[in-house]
Amino acid sequence: MIATAERAAAKSSRSQSSSNPEQVTFSSIIAALSFALDLTEGAQPGHALRTCLIGIRIGTEMGLSQDQLSDLYYALLLKDAGCSSNATRLYQIVGGDEIRAKAFTKTNDWTRFEWKQIQFLLRHVHAQDKIANRFKAIGDMIKKSSQNAEILFRLRCNQGAQVVRDLGLGQGTADAVYNLDEHWNGLGYPDRLSGDAIPLLARIVSISQTLEVFHQQYGPAAALDCIQRRSGRWFDPLVVRAAVSLMRRNALFVDIDSPVLKHYVASLEPSLRSLPADPQTIDSICVAFAGVVDAKSHSTYMHSTEVARIAVELGAYLGLNDSELVTLRRAGLLHDIGKLSVPNSILDKPGKLDASEWACVKMHPHYTYEILSRIPTFGEIANISASHHEKLDGSGYYRGLMADDLCYMSRILTVADMFEALSANRPYRGPMSKADVLNILRKDVPHAIDPTVFAALESIIEINNLKVA
Ligand SMILES: [Fe+2]
Ligand SMILES: [Fe+2]
């Protein structure tokens, strides 16, 4: 019955959006941006959307009110909003690819030390170090596992809840995101809550994300087995019972791999609490996600925010109109959202990148495009954002576009990005003076960088003394 009602609602949502292709809602933007959170968590693309479908079905089965379902809906989509805040710390602990480590914890019971966990540690922890250093690092990790887990989860939970509040969502959603790593038996994080002290919505989010991962990787039988084994330990037995009941009626995972999943998810938002997407709201979503991107690494602290500010200053100087400046600011805030796909073992590397690491970095504008082009009405922003490493002579990445393919706004964004990146502190060098940055950029004018935009940058620095972060 649930699936039949959802199909009808999804069909209606699909026909509404096809008759009005410019329609954009708050939930459609959040749903699209949730793909960025999947990347940082090492999850399969669409993980948050599928988790949302599962969680809302469980919540409905448990008889939650429309208000509760609304809070739950956004908690399910934004559950990983704090994912970037502990990336540097996790990288320092494992001494390697922290996204792989996060992906491992999704299907493995990290609360128990079993052979699989030990194998992972032996294979991946400080893999580049000398053997003696590696054993010492693994020993330290095991000794401090509880202390490290608390730090990592607290960072993640705090930032996740803060993003939810910054987006103007309710306290119920913030509480669910903050507490989703608590366990029924009191051995979870960050506050070791147990039983009913854990908010109900957090208990539903917790089991929903696990069900999605196990179902996606191993199928429904493994998902069922996992939640039954963890019932009363990780998961609330009542929530487990609701999920099992849905599974036995084949109503939990039905249509989860549908090509129109986003329409299913859109149709699940409680209509009475459906949130609008006015220009101010869209701007605050862009600011919030710029914060998620910038929190990933100390070396990119405030980068997106600063690039947006510099780009708008350049655009205003060059005579762009208000609407173009809005587009440019949003493109600046979100241009590096694809960087959430790059492990901190690369972003924070103090030395030169090798060929495979560099290839990974070069893919980030591609992911930026993939994510932003999912947002209705964001087609132009997706193109501008994804072109921020392109050069007029085709020497840039990731598409190797030429001058004719690069619009004025993308040329402005490129200069703003280069200026901010060169001015900021990096793991492999200190910050540069404005004069040194301009000298470096000047070498790319006019063959690679637009001369008009570069001249505007020089003028702004001279006239306004453009602040370098
Ligand atoms: Fe970039
Ligand atoms: Fe950038």
Side-chain angles (χ1 to χ4, degrees):
M1 282 301 285
I2 287 179
T4 311
E6 284 170 3
R7 276 196 196 107
K11 200 174 165 195
S12 150
S13 157
R14 201 156 70 237
S15 63
Q16 272 172 28
S17 60
S18 60
S19 64
N20 181 7
E22 291 304 297
Q23 188 183 47
V24 58
T25 61
F26 184 86
S27 64
S28 67
I29 302 176
I30 299 296
L33 292 176
S34 73
F35 279 79
L37 308 179
D38 296 343
L39 285 176
T40 319
E41 284 297 283
Q44 302 276 334
H47 161 70
L49 287 195
R50 290 186 294 272
T51 300
C52 185
L53 190 69
I54 292 168
I56 290 294
R57 285 171 173 171
I58 294 173
T60 305
E61 177 78 3
M62 295 182 75
L64 263 53
S65 69
Q66 288 292 294
D67 279 352
Q68 285 176 307
L69 286 173
S70 178
D71 284 344
L72 177 62
Y73 181 82
Y74 284 105
L76 290 158
L77 288 177
L78 288 164
K79 68 188 183 60
D80 293 321
C83 59
S84 59
S85 61
N86 60 13
T88 291
R89 192 66 188 245
L90 184 56
Y91 156 59
Q92 288 164 349
I93 292 168
V94 299
D97 184 338
E98 87 290 347
I99 294 179
R100 179 173 48 205
K102 285 186 176 198
F104 178 81
T105 61
K106 300 276 185 266
T107 51
N108 289 278
D109 187 346
W110 50 264
T111 63
R112 293 178 168 179
F113 260 108
E114 293 166 352
W115 177 232
K116 247 174 124 176
Q117 282 79 336
I118 293 166
Q119 270 183 315
F120 181 87
L121 296 179
L122 291 172
R123 223 173 266 155
H124 299 298
V125 171
H126 289 267
Q128 310 301 328
D129 276 7
K130 288 178 187 159
I131 193 80
N133 293 346
R134 295 193 59 206
F135 277 114
K136 184 180 176 315
I138 292 170
D140 280 351
M141 251 185 95
I142 294 170
K143 205 162 60 187
K144 295 180 185 165
S145 60
S146 173
Q147 192 185 336
N148 284 336
E150 188 185 335
I151 293 167
L152 291 169
F153 281 112
R154 197 172 289 287
L155 281 168
R156 179 191 147 88
C157 297
N158 275 328
Q159 194 209 7
Q162 189 56 49
V163 170
V164 167
R165 284 190 288 268
D166 290 345
L167 289 169
L169 293 164
Q171 192 58 39
T173 302
D175 288 343
V177 170
Y178 181 82
N179 291 291
L180 72 91
D181 291 305
E182 298 289 359
H183 292 177
W184 184 252
N185 62 4
L187 295 180
Y189 295 94
D191 296 322
R192 302 271 183 179
L193 299 183
S194 64
D196 290 336
I198 306 166
L200 174 60
L201 303 190
R203 286 178 256 152
I204 297 175
V205 176
S206 173
I207 196 170
S208 303
Q209 63 177 3
T210 301
L211 279 165
E212 193 284 333
V213 171
F214 273 81
H215 178 264
Q216 201 67 13
Q217 289 208 16
Y218 307 117
L224 176 66
D225 178 58
C226 170
I227 61 165
Q228 285 182 323
R229 273 188 294 111
R230 295 184 187 182
S231 180
R233 190 160 61 87
W234 278 38
F235 302 132
D236 175 353
L238 270 183
V239 184
V240 171
R241 198 177 304 164
V244 170
S245 169
L246 283 162
M247 267 190 266
R248 297 227 159 105
R249 282 149 39 214
N250 195 27
L252 190 62
F253 299 121
V254 63
D255 291 324
I256 202 158
D257 292 316
S258 164
V260 292
L261 178 65
K262 71 173 184 180
H263 295 293
Y264 272 96
V265 172
S267 73
L268 293 177
E269 183 182 12
S271 54
L272 290 175
R273 294 277 312 272
S274 182
L275 299 168
D278 53 55
Q280 288 75 20
T281 307
I282 296 176
D283 285 339
S284 55
I285 295 173
C286 294
V287 169
F289 274 81
V292 173
V293 176
D294 290 352
K296 184 156 163 67
S297 167
H298 294 308
S299 64
T300 55
Y301 175 69
M302 294 293 285
H303 171 70
S304 306
T305 312
E306 276 301 293
V307 168
R309 186 183 66 78
I310 295 165
V312 167
E313 206 160 329
L314 283 168
Y317 184 85
L318 290 164
L320 298 193
N321 64 35
D322 287 350
S323 161
E324 289 168 327
L325 291 178
V326 167
T327 298
L328 189 55
R329 178 164 184 265
R330 290 174 183 170
L333 287 167
L334 297 175
H335 76 282
D336 267 339
I337 196 162
K339 247 188 193 167
L340 291 171
S341 69
V342 184
N344 282 55
S345 50
I346 296 176
L347 288 180
D348 295 344
K349 187 173 176 177
K352 231 179 147 197
L353 302 185
D354 66 27
S356 68
E357 290 166 337
W358 187 227
C360 178
V361 169
K362 281 183 161 182
M363 284 304 287
H364 81 268
H366 161 74
Y367 285 115
T368 290
Y369 182 80
E370 286 287 304
I371 295 159
L372 298 186
S373 59
R374 291 174 186 276
I375 305 175
T377 76
F378 264 49
E380 187 183 16
I381 292 175
N383 263 319
I384 296 167
S385 293
S387 301
H388 71 275
H389 287 294
E390 302 288 356
K391 301 283 168 57
L392 302 177
D393 59 2
S395 62
Y397 59 90
Y398 68 104
R399 291 182 279 200
L401 299 179
M402 303 290 293
D404 284 351
D405 303 313
L406 296 167
C407 70
Y408 205 28
M409 282 196 267
S410 68
R411 296 175 188 208
I412 293 172
L413 187 58
T414 299
V415 170
D417 182 58
M418 291 177 81
F419 180 78
E420 205 294 320
L422 288 168
S423 305
N425 212 354
R426 285 287 179 270
Y428 46 88
R429 60 152 175 81
M432 290 188 207
S433 70
K434 285 176 207 168
D436 287 345
V437 172
L438 287 177
N439 282 335
I440 289 173
L441 292 181
R442 196 172 287 115
K443 289 178 190 156
D444 280 348
V445 180
H447 59 284
I449 290 177
D450 189 304
T452 315
V453 179
F454 180 72
L457 179 68
E458 285 186 304
S459 301
I460 288 173
I461 289 174
E462 201 179 313
I463 299 165
N464 297 341
N465 196 20
L466 187 69
K467 183 177 148 277
V468 180

